[in-house]
Amino acid sequence: MPLGERPGDERSETKYCGVETDFSNDMPLVLNFNIHGGFDFVVAPLMDPSYRPSLIDHSSKEGGALPFASSDLVLSPSQWSGHVVGKISSWIDLDSEDEILRHDSEVTLKQEISWASHLSLQACLLPSPKGLSCANYARCVNQILQNLTSMQLWLRIPLEKPDDDSNMGDVDHMIDSWELWNSFRLLCEHHNQLSVALDVLSSLPSARSLERWFGEPVRAAIISSNSFLTNARGYPCLSKRHQKLMAEFFNNSVQVVISGGETQSMHSRVSSSHEDNDGVNRHPLRSYLDYVAYLYQRMDPLPEQERFELGYRDYLQSPLQPLMDNLEAQTYETFEKDTVKYLQYQRAVSKALLDRIPDEEAPNVTTILMVVGAGRGPLVRASLQAAEETGRKLKVYAVEKNPNAVVTLHSLVKLEGWENVVTIVSSDMRAWVAPEKADILVSELLGSFGDNELSPECLDGAQRFLKPDGISIPSSYTSFIQPITASKLYNDVKSHKDLLHFETAYVVKLHRVSRLAPSQPVFTFTHPDYSANKRNDRYKKLRFEIPRDTGSAMVHGFAGYFDATLYKDVHLGIEPSTATPSMFSWFPIFFPLRTPVCVQPGVPLEVHMWRCCGSTKVWYEWCVASPTSSPVHNTNGRSYWVGL
Amino acid sequence: MPLGERPGDERSETKYCGVETDFSNDMPLVLNFNIHGGFDFVVAPLMDPSYRPSLIDHSSKEGGALPFASSDLVLSPSQWSGHVVGKISSWIDLDSEDEILRHDSEVTLKQEISWASHLSLQACLLPSPKGLSCANYARCVNQILQNLTSMQLWLRIPLEKPDDDSNMGDVDHMIDSWELWNSFRLLCEHHNQLSVALDVLSSLPSARSLERWFGEPVRAAIISSNSFLTNARGYPCLSKRHQKLMAEFFNNSVQVVISGGETQSMHSRVSSSHEDNDGVNRHPLRSYLDYVAYLYQRMDPLPEQERFELGYRDYLQSPLQPLMDNLEAQTYETFEKDTVKYLQYQRAVSKALLDRIPDEEAPNVTTILMVVGAGRGPLVRASLQAAEETGRKLKVYAVEKNPNAVVTLHSLVKLEGWENVVTIVSSDMRAWVAPEKADILVSELLGSFGDNELSPECLDGAQRFLKPDGISIPSSYTSFIQPITASKLYNDVKSHKDLLHFETAYVVKLHRVSRLAPSQPVFTFTHPDYSANKRNDRYKKLRFEIPRDTGSAMVHGFAGYFDATLYKDVHLGIEPSTATPSMFSWFPIFFPLRTPVCVQPGVPLEVHMWRCCGSTKVWYEWCVASPTSSPVHNTNGRSYWVGL
């Protein structure tokens, strides 16, 4: 039984809640009891926990069956795969000093995973590494992962991290468990079937350190009944911080599992439930489940825009090449729907017109406005609306290189009766010989990273026909980056198994990422720019300080944004701290790193970015220079470039 | 004129000595003066150092030639390529805060390298990075490297490193220049045309920190005349430590370049030389050259074994698979020449015979000795010689699986008249049914890493026919590893551009490597071994501490060795600190790392190694777990294994 539904969840995964159980030979009973108790699945041990391979008498070959919880026939295949997560024996310790225990652990782990695969379970829960060292455990899991068809392995990790000011005496007990996870997954080379099940404890580490996990492949959160508080009416509830964390889990498709603690065995719970005070055959953890479902159901519905973008979350797209390729009608269609954007343009044009033409001259002066890259006309419309709004007279040239868009432009002009005001020019703005000079040049050539669709190069060509005191809208734009944890994106890039994809920037609706530091400005372009020796190549060195209470974190790459000044205080952008609300034309850009960089607390992350210009293309190169130097990515634009 | 010859240098590169010169428009004069002065090549600026691209008046298009030292025609192509190393303008500073200087530097660097390529120079000397940051310089060089056909770029690096106890105030001036190099080459991704020219200064850092450089691609050492001392007779000489360093350079094919300092210009030197006091037209740096040549000539000749192995230096070979493949006659031939090895075996058999058979029983008792893996008979011969030496009676079974070797064995036995003592068995020792049990089992199944040619598995099969109190020779063996800097080997592995080669161990005569810490034992096997549940898989966690005065260092992988106890105190091995002298049957083994690991001073290097056994193969897996976790290499033996 899912946790319930919220408006806007249609395209998201349904949220389920599981329960952790003890070992029982009677799997049908376990499943039946818990499913009827309201849970969607059980996390159940598959093998008798008293089994140790080294204690088996190899000389007696009889009764060779392993002590698994009865046969595969006791449940239907769909019950196994739909309702059971295998819980690997928690006694295993592959990094023990005891060689026999180590060997027993390896044999058992391999037997249990093999059995779970045989049952087509969707996932197995691996017990948390016992100590600080996990290399042998990781080596063994990595061997298993190579031959695993589709099952996920959830490595159980306690959600704990010492505070910076915790006393040092306790350091052995309180480690930053993220470090353990990081070491394990590096040894397993970011394998995409290895993920995390977080054990949520009664006290939580700092908010920033929690945030790290949302860039990691967390599939489940296990909450012990001990971590709940009791409210005034005696029902379980969670602290405010736990509630906030739960909301994050729901938003990030993390399955919730409730654990009854380890003191009470399943069987005693089964029998005690029969003797319940109120006489109802109620699951002993039902009130915890109800509370979790309540938390889920009371969440605010997703805003419409977020709902619209659900299908794009963390999906890598190649950036457009609008200069080399002609956009398709569908693309124009999508962008034209972004009313917020065109309203900003209209405001910018209005302000420019008011500044340029005093009220008393309004009837006599006609302002020459050129829309360069007019597409199917939205900026022409916005400009004309600005003229109407301000009572200024306008003559518009609509310059567009895509002949297909020009067809639509003509019909629009005819339809709207703009023939006397709008002149359509079917030409590349870099080549066009204008019959007169413009007062205002309006363009929308910006990409997610500002200059990445070659707005600078296009406007360099267009400023030839701008009057010396003419205005460019936008008048400037700046790109921004910030380091992020994004294991999902990293794995998607890695899956291509080539250099090219690691040296490409992607347009992507970032969702399961952790933003590790505020974004910083990278490249700025200003228009018009009449300076001598003007160049469009750029170089920027950036230094990010990841807040100390984050702990160590993995940087898989950089999220990129832009902010543009259209005219004076009218801006437009997607940089998170200043983003224009409800504008959807741009997703962020993502610059991946070939090898993710782990940053320790207090150590700065130094990043270098270049915008390089050749005769036929423009490209970015990037690298990390501290804490350690990465290779320079995309040298000479060998993998990713934008054609001129 | 080469520095002279030493016996044994035939197969090595001839040693040359160059001279650094100032800019001159008259290149033929510069070359002529220096070649006649005794030098083999000049390191000469190609372009007028006063040139700055930003000062060129772009409006006047006349006289567009760049200020290079005259045309390519002034020297013959062979003079250019054979005697000139291009010295890139030393004023360039690509990491300056000054954008114009940065841009001028980039343009100049690209123009000069392009000109040097046009002249087919073998190398260019790049000026040392000006500050601590070198990312933009490295980015630009990396761009150049992508399109460079065969020219080498020598990055000039001053040989300096602060002592651990140097006062902190001076830290800005005294950096560990290795770090600068390391950052630069990481940004350029270990490009194999990027190498180092070390500037040897008058004071040298610690011996251990110097040692690091011999695992790096150092192509040239530039010694300023200021770094020389003056001996009692007024001639230049070098300190003992400098002399030792020079010997290392000679041994590692590092070209020496003498630099006259920067105070005196070439032209004044040319003219002053004409007015020399003694009236002879002598090069002002001739006495420095003579001293360097003297240092070279007085070096000890290479030992015969080293001379024999010159051609194998740093050449990666795949380990043998003697169990799956049959060795060729040539291989037997080579191994049989290793008299030292067989003498050790003879000593071991003698001691065992004396221990086993008291003198009084010698005439009556016949010892059953089985040589398992007899090959073409060298161990049979060593055993019979031991019997003769000790006066013990021997019956020998020579078991060999290679039918081709058995042919030779038969003819040997006939030739030597051993028919009554030696029984030849053409069989795999793991399958053979012995007619009686052995007192002594002699084998030589060891690989460079001890157990890597599956000696454990073979002897497990053979110990069936050993008497309960029987002796195995060898009685035990242990493998060892140590971390090394080995950029040449790393690049050779990388050149294959696949995972497979990074997950393979290679047999290699290590030469241009830096051993960063003493080796440590890894896996030990003892024979016979009758313990229950005996297994041949192994796991070892190792912790290396790189001495602090080394500074930071790059670990490209691990050198592997073995040491075997043949019998009691008779051992055999290649572990450097205990290696058997003059034995040549084994080169070390090299386990590469997919991503080299940089280790900071005081931070331990934690390495994990596994020996894994499957039903048809045995393989190693390895990883680094500290300072950062690497992927586990060779999971499931996917890249490299030894067949059973």
Side-chain angles (χ1 to χ4, degrees):
Chain A
M1 190 178 72
L3 291 177
E5 280 178 18
R6 294 184 305 146
D9 272 9
E10 315 93 69
R11 298 178 62 186
S12 165
E13 295 169 41
T14 322
K15 302 301 180 299
Y16 295 105
C17 189
V19 61
E20 184 178 7
T21 75
D22 290 334
F23 177 76
S24 162
N25 261 316
D26 194 341
M27 191 58 102
L29 175 69
V30 170
L31 192 63
N32 202 35
F33 172 72
N34 287 291
I35 297 290
H36 281 99
F39 290 95
D40 304 295
F41 62 95
V42 298
V43 182
L46 302 172
M47 194 187 258
D48 192 322
S50 65
Y51 166 71
R52 294 290 181 284
S54 60
L55 299 179
I56 302 296
D57 186 358
H58 286 289
S59 58
S60 83
K61 286 291 178 192
E62 25 180 318
L66 289 163
F68 283 117
S70 50
S71 93
D72 54 4
L73 295 171
V74 299
L75 297 182
S76 71
S78 71
Q79 282 178 308
W80 280 120
S81 68
H83 299 289
V84 180
V85 167
K87 184 180 165 190
I88 302 301
S89 288
S90 54
W91 59 264
I92 68 165
D93 183 1
L94 279 103
D95 290 277
S96 165
E97 294 293 314
D98 175 348
E99 195 181 329
I100 292 172
L101 173 54
R102 227 162 53 211
H103 187 246
D104 275 355
S105 300
E106 178 163 351
V107 169
T108 304
L109 175 60
K110 289 183 172 171
Q111 284 169 343
E112 295 187 22
I113 300 270
S114 163
W115 178 245
S117 293
H118 173 73
L119 300 174
S120 300
L121 301 194
Q122 286 186 46
C124 276
L125 178 66
L126 302 177
S128 191
K130 296 284 184 290
L132 299 178
S133 196
C134 62
N136 195 43
Y137 192 3
R139 187 265 315 161
C140 184
V141 168
N142 195 39
Q143 287 183 337
I144 292 167
L145 283 166
Q146 309 305 311
N147 300 313
L148 212 55
T149 44
S150 68
M151 194 164 67
Q152 284 279 329
L153 299 184
W154 297 351
L155 183 66
R156 190 168 191 159
I157 298 281
L159 191 52
E160 58 186 358
K161 176 185 169 292
D163 290 338
D164 280 345
D165 52 0
S166 69
N167 62 13
M168 301 302 283
D170 229 20
V171 155
D172 267 4
H173 269 79
M174 270 287 269
I175 60 141
D176 179 357
S177 59
W178 181 89
E179 306 251 15
L180 201 57
W181 156 248
N182 188 45
S183 175
F184 204 103
R185 67 98 169 270
L186 285 174
L187 291 163
C188 295
E189 224 180 322
H190 275 79
H191 199 288
N192 65 11
Q193 283 165 270
L194 177 68
S195 46
V196 179
L198 284 176
D199 246 327
V200 180
L201 310 177
S202 52
S203 80
L204 294 177
S206 74
R208 281 214 184 83
S209 81
L210 289 177
E211 165 68 19
R212 285 180 299 180
W213 289 104
F214 294 103
E216 303 287 358
V218 179
R219 294 277 172 275
I222 305 169
I223 308 177
S224 160
S225 55
N226 298 329
S227 298
F228 285 78
L229 308 171
T230 306
N231 71 10
R233 284 176 297 159
Y235 285 100
C237 63
L238 286 168
S239 76
K240 285 267 182 261
R241 292 199 59 210
H242 279 83
Q243 290 178 37
K244 188 156 173 289
L245 182 62
M246 292 295 286
E248 291 254 45
F249 287 147
F250 294 140
N251 267 335
N252 284 281
S253 306
V254 175
Q255 317 241 34
V256 173
V257 176
I258 295 174
S259 161
E262 292 179 353
T263 47
Q264 200 184 12
S265 91
M266 174 52 56
H267 275 110
S268 69
R269 259 184 265 144
V270 171
S271 48
S272 74
S273 72
H274 283 287
E275 300 155 28
D276 226 342
N277 283 342
D278 56 4
V280 183
N281 194 344
R282 202 176 144 83
H283 194 289
L285 296 172
R286 180 63 194 233
S287 52
Y288 298 91
L289 170 64
D290 290 344
Y291 179 72
V292 169
Y294 156 76
L295 287 181
Y296 179 66
Q297 288 157 23
R298 70 156 196 196
M299 283 173 74
D300 289 333
L302 273 184
E304 190 188 335
Q305 190 189 336
E306 281 290 316
R307 219 151 65 220
F308 171 75
E309 292 168 358
L310 270 179
Y312 294 98
R313 280 182 175 178
D314 299 319
Y315 172 76
L316 299 171
Q317 297 173 268
S318 292
L320 294 172
Q321 289 258 13
L323 216 53
M324 281 172 59
D325 308 333
N326 286 321
L327 300 186
E328 292 163 14
Q330 212 181 332
T331 314
Y332 286 117
E333 189 79 22
T334 307
F335 288 145
E336 286 167 15
K337 284 190 179 138
D338 196 342
T339 50
V340 172
K341 180 175 76 175
Y342 294 110
L343 219 58
Q344 290 298 88
Y345 269 98
Q346 187 180 329
R347 288 183 55 212
V349 174
S350 292
K351 287 208 172 191
L353 286 173
L354 290 174
D355 279 359
R356 212 167 163 84
I357 316 293
D359 282 345
E360 57 277 20
E361 292 180 22
N364 310 320
V365 183
T366 298
T367 299
I368 311 296
L369 183 144
M370 294 177 178
V371 177
V372 288
R376 306 195 309 186
L379 284 181
V380 173
R381 184 187 300 275
S383 301
L384 291 174
Q385 281 169 350
E388 200 180 314
E389 181 180 285
T390 56
R392 266 56 180 173
K393 293 173 71 178
L394 215 54
K395 179 174 182 192
V396 175
Y397 288 90
V399 186
E400 175 53 48
K401 72 162 179 56
N402 179 358
N404 308 312
V406 168
V407 172
T408 315
L409 261 182
H410 274 290
S411 84
L412 175 77
V413 166
K414 204 169 167 189
L415 188 75
E416 298 282 357
W418 293 340
E419 289 92 338
N420 295 328
V421 230
V422 177
T423 308
I424 295 169
V425 180
S426 182
S427 170
D428 188 313
M429 70 183 87
R430 292 169 294 176
W432 182 46
V433 181
E436 58 185 320
K437 295 215 163 182
D439 296 283
I440 301 177
L441 201 61
V442 184
S443 64
E444 52 166 337
L445 305 164
L446 298 175
S448 298
F449 199 54
D451 58 76
N452 63 310
E453 293 183 9
L454 307 195
S455 177
E457 284 70 17
C458 293
L459 294 183
D460 280 354
Q463 78 179 27
R464 289 176 294 118
F465 42 83
L466 186 63
K467 289 181 183 168
D469 66 342
I471 292 167
S472 169
I473 295 178
S475 63
S476 74
Y477 35 88
T478 299
S479 51
F480 292 82
I481 60 167
Q482 72 182 156
I484 58 172
T485 302
S487 69
K488 197 267 184 192
L489 301 183
Y490 173 77
N491 267 337
D492 285 355
V493 174
K494 196 180 73 159
S495 69
H496 292 282
K497 299 183 181 180
D498 60 22
L499 180 63
L500 188 141
H501 284 82
F502 271 119
E503 297 191 331
T504 298
Y506 301 87
V507 166
V508 55
K509 166 73 184 165
L510 299 175
H511 182 65
R512 291 210 56 157
V513 303
S514 171
R515 293 169 170 85
L516 298 169
S519 72
Q520 293 184 23
V522 189
F523 307 133
T524 296
F525 288 86
T526 303
H527 299 286
D529 180 350
Y530 300 110
S531 58
N533 294 325
K534 170 174 134 57
R535 299 201 327 270
N536 289 330
D537 54 354
R538 292 283 187 282
Y539 168 46
K540 187 66 176 258
K541 174 173 162 180
L542 299 154
R543 226 177 134 87
F544 293 95
E545 309 271 352
I546 296 176
R548 247 179 202 282
D549 60 345
T550 306
S552 301
M554 192 58 114
V555 179
H556 290 104
F558 301 90
Y561 317 98
F562 79 94
D563 188 78
T565 299
L566 293 183
Y567 181 72
K568 292 191 170 167
D569 64 337
V570 185
H571 88 110
L572 195 74
I574 59 169
E575 193 282 317
S577 66
T578 58
T580 312
S582 304
M583 191 176 66
F584 59 79
S585 291
W586 295 275
F587 289 147
I589 203 163
F590 172 62
F591 290 92
L593 285 174
R594 290 165 55 179
T595 304
V597 172
C598 182
V599 183
Q600 309 291 328
V603 178
L605 174 69
E606 189 181 305
V607 186
H608 297 251
M609 287 211 80
W610 293 267
R611 185 182 199 266
C612 304
C613 304
S615 54
T616 59
K617 65 182 187 180
V618 171
W619 70 96
Y620 302 102
E621 301 189 15
W622 62 96
C623 74
V624 168
S626 166
T628 180
S629 293
S630 73
V632 176
H633 288 56
N634 196 34
T635 297
N636 291 330
R638 64 183 167 197
S639 297
Y640 158 63
W641 43 270
V642 190
L644 278 166
Chain B
M1 191 178 70
L3 291 178
E5 280 179 17
R6 293 183 307 145
D9 272 10
E10 313 94 69
R11 299 179 61 185
S12 165
E13 294 170 42
T14 321
K15 301 301 180 298
Y16 294 106
C17 188
V19 60
E20 184 179 5
T21 75
D22 289 336
F23 177 74
S24 163
N25 261 316
D26 194 342
M27 191 57 103
L29 175 69
V30 170
L31 192 62
N32 202 35
F33 172 72
N34 286 291
I35 297 289
H36 281 98
F39 290 95
D40 304 296
F41 63 94
V42 297
V43 181
L46 302 171
M47 193 187 258
D48 192 323
S50 64
Y51 166 71
R52 294 290 180 286
S54 60
L55 299 179
I56 302 296
D57 185 358
H58 286 288
S59 57
S60 82
K61 285 291 179 194
E62 24 180 317
L66 290 163
F68 283 118
S70 51
S71 92
D72 54 3
L73 294 171
V74 299
L75 297 183
S76 70
S78 71
Q79 281 179 309
W80 280 119
S81 68
H83 299 289
V84 180
V85 167
K87 184 181 164 189
I88 303 302
S89 288
S90 53
W91 60 264
I92 68 166
D93 182 2
L94 280 103
D95 290 277
S96 165
E97 294 292 315
D98 176 349
E99 194 181 330
I100 293 171
L101 173 55
R102 227 162 54 211
H103 187 247
D104 275 354
S105 300
E106 178 162 351
V107 170
T108 304
L109 175 60
K110 287 184 172 170
Q111 284 169 342
E112 294 188 23
I113 300 270
S114 163
W115 177 244
S117 293
H118 174 72
L119 301 174
S120 299
L121 302 193
Q122 287 185 44
C124 276
L125 178 67
L126 303 176
S128 191
K130 296 283 186 289
L132 299 177
S133 196
C134 62
N136 195 42
Y137 192 4
R139 187 266 315 160
C140 185
V141 168
N142 195 39
Q143 288 183 337
I144 292 167
L145 283 166
Q146 309 304 311
N147 300 314
L148 213 54
T149 43
S150 68
M151 195 164 67
Q152 284 279 329
L153 299 184
W154 297 351
L155 183 66
R156 190 167 190 157
I157 298 282
L159 190 53
E160 58 187 359
K161 175 185 170 290
D163 290 338
D164 279 344
D165 52 0
S166 68
N167 62 13
M168 300 303 284
D170 228 21
V171 156
D172 267 4
H173 270 81
M174 271 286 270
I175 61 141
D176 180 356
S177 60
W178 180 89
E179 305 252 14
L180 201 57
W181 157 247
N182 188 46
S183 176
F184 204 103
R185 66 97 170 268
L186 284 174
L187 291 163
C188 295
E189 223 180 321
H190 275 79
H191 200 288
N192 65 11
Q193 284 165 269
L194 177 69
S195 45
V196 179
L198 283 176
D199 247 325
V200 180
L201 309 177
S202 53
S203 79
L204 294 177
S206 75
R208 281 214 184 82
S209 81
L210 289 177
E211 165 67 19
R212 285 180 300 180
W213 289 103
F214 294 103
E216 302 287 359
V218 179
R219 294 276 173 276
I222 304 170
I223 308 177
S224 159
S225 54
N226 298 330
S227 297
F228 284 78
L229 307 171
T230 307
N231 71 10
R233 284 175 297 160
Y235 285 100
C237 63
L238 287 169
S239 76
K240 285 266 182 260
R241 291 199 59 209
H242 280 83
Q243 290 178 36
K244 189 155 172 288
L245 182 62
M246 293 295 285
E248 291 253 44
F249 287 147
F250 294 141
N251 266 334
N252 285 282
S253 306
V254 175
Q255 315 242 34
V256 173
V257 175
I258 295 174
S259 161
E262 290 178 355
T263 47
Q264 200 185 9
S265 89
M266 174 52 56
H267 275 112
S268 68
R269 258 185 264 143
V270 170
S271 48
S272 73
S273 73
H274 283 289
E275 300 156 28
D276 225 342
N277 281 343
D278 56 4
V280 184
N281 194 345
R282 203 176 144 84
H283 194 290
L285 296 173
R286 180 65 194 231
S287 52
Y288 299 91
L289 170 63
D290 289 345
Y291 180 72
V292 169
Y294 156 75
L295 288 182
Y296 180 66
Q297 287 156 23
R298 71 156 197 195
M299 284 173 74
D300 290 333
L302 274 184
E304 190 189 335
Q305 189 189 334
E306 281 290 316
R307 218 150 66 220
F308 172 75
E309 291 168 0
L310 270 178
Y312 293 97
R313 281 181 175 177
D314 298 320
Y315 173 76
L316 300 171
Q317 298 173 269
S318 292
L320 294 172
Q321 290 257 14
L323 216 52
M324 281 173 60
D325 307 334
N326 284 322
L327 300 185
E328 293 164 13
Q330 213 181 332
T331 313
Y332 284 117
E333 189 80 20
T334 307
F335 288 145
E336 287 167 14
K337 282 190 180 139
D338 196 343
T339 50
V340 172
K341 181 175 74 174
Y342 294 111
L343 218 57
Q344 290 298 87
Y345 268 98
Q346 187 180 328
R347 288 184 55 212
V349 174
S350 291
K351 286 207 174 192
L353 285 173
L354 289 175
D355 277 0
R356 212 166 164 84
I357 315 293
D359 283 345
E360 58 276 17
E361 291 180 23
N364 310 320
V365 182
T366 298
T367 300
I368 311 296
L369 183 146
M370 293 176 179
V371 177
V372 287
R376 306 195 310 185
L379 284 181
V380 173
R381 183 186 301 275
S383 301
L384 291 174
Q385 280 168 351
E388 200 182 313
E389 182 179 285
T390 55
R392 264 59 181 173
K393 292 171 74 177
L394 215 57
K395 179 176 181 188
V396 176
Y397 287 90
V399 185
E400 174 55 48
K401 73 162 179 56
N402 179 356
N404 308 312
V406 168
V407 171
T408 315
L409 260 183
H410 273 290
S411 83
L412 175 78
V413 166
K414 204 169 166 189
L415 187 74
E416 298 282 355
W418 294 340
E419 288 94 339
N420 295 329
V421 232
V422 179
T423 307
I424 296 169
V425 179
S426 183
S427 170
D428 187 314
M429 71 183 86
R430 294 170 294 177
W432 182 44
V433 182
E436 59 184 320
K437 294 216 165 180
D439 296 281
I440 302 176
L441 201 61
V442 185
S443 63
E444 51 166 339
L445 304 163
L446 299 175
S448 298
F449 199 54
D451 58 77
N452 64 310
E453 293 183 8
L454 308 194
S455 176
E457 284 70 18
C458 292
L459 294 183
D460 280 356
Q463 78 180 25
R464 289 177 293 118
F465 41 84
L466 186 63
K467 289 180 182 167
D469 66 342
I471 293 166
S472 169
I473 295 177
S475 64
S476 74
Y477 36 87
T478 299
S479 51
F480 292 81
I481 60 167
Q482 72 183 155
I484 58 172
T485 302
S487 69
K488 196 268 184 191
L489 301 183
Y490 174 76
N491 267 337
D492 286 355
V493 174
K494 196 182 73 161
S495 69
H496 292 282
K497 299 182 181 180
D498 61 21
L499 181 62
L500 188 142
H501 283 82
F502 270 119
E503 297 191 331
T504 297
Y506 301 87
V507 166
V508 55
K509 165 73 184 165
L510 299 175
H511 182 65
R512 291 208 58 155
V513 304
S514 172
R515 293 169 170 85
L516 298 169
S519 72
Q520 293 185 23
V522 189
F523 307 134
T524 295
F525 288 86
T526 303
H527 299 285
D529 181 349
Y530 300 110
S531 56
N533 293 325
K534 169 175 135 52
R535 301 200 327 270
N536 289 330
D537 54 354
R538 293 283 187 281
Y539 168 45
K540 185 69 175 258
K541 174 173 163 181
L542 299 154
R543 225 178 135 87
F544 292 95
E545 307 272 351
I546 295 176
R548 247 179 200 282
D549 59 346
T550 306
S552 300
M554 192 58 114
V555 178
H556 289 104
F558 301 90
Y561 316 98
F562 79 94
D563 189 78
T565 299
L566 293 183
Y567 181 70
K568 292 191 170 165
D569 64 337
V570 185
H571 89 109
L572 196 74
I574 59 169
E575 193 281 317
S577 66
T578 59
T580 311
S582 303
M583 191 176 66
F584 59 79
S585 291
W586 294 276
F587 290 146
I589 204 164
F590 173 61
F591 290 91
L593 285 174
R594 290 164 57 179
T595 303
V597 172
C598 183
V599 183
Q600 310 290 329
V603 178
L605 174 69
E606 188 180 305
V607 186
H608 297 250
M609 286 210 80
W610 293 267
R611 186 183 199 266
C612 303
C613 303
S615 55
T616 59
K617 66 182 187 180
V618 171
W619 70 94
Y620 301 103
E621 300 190 15
W622 61 97
C623 74
V624 168
S626 166
T628 179
S629 293
S630 74
V632 176
H633 288 56
N634 197 34
T635 298
N636 291 331
R638 64 184 166 196
S639 298
Y640 159 63
W641 43 271
V642 190
L644 277 166

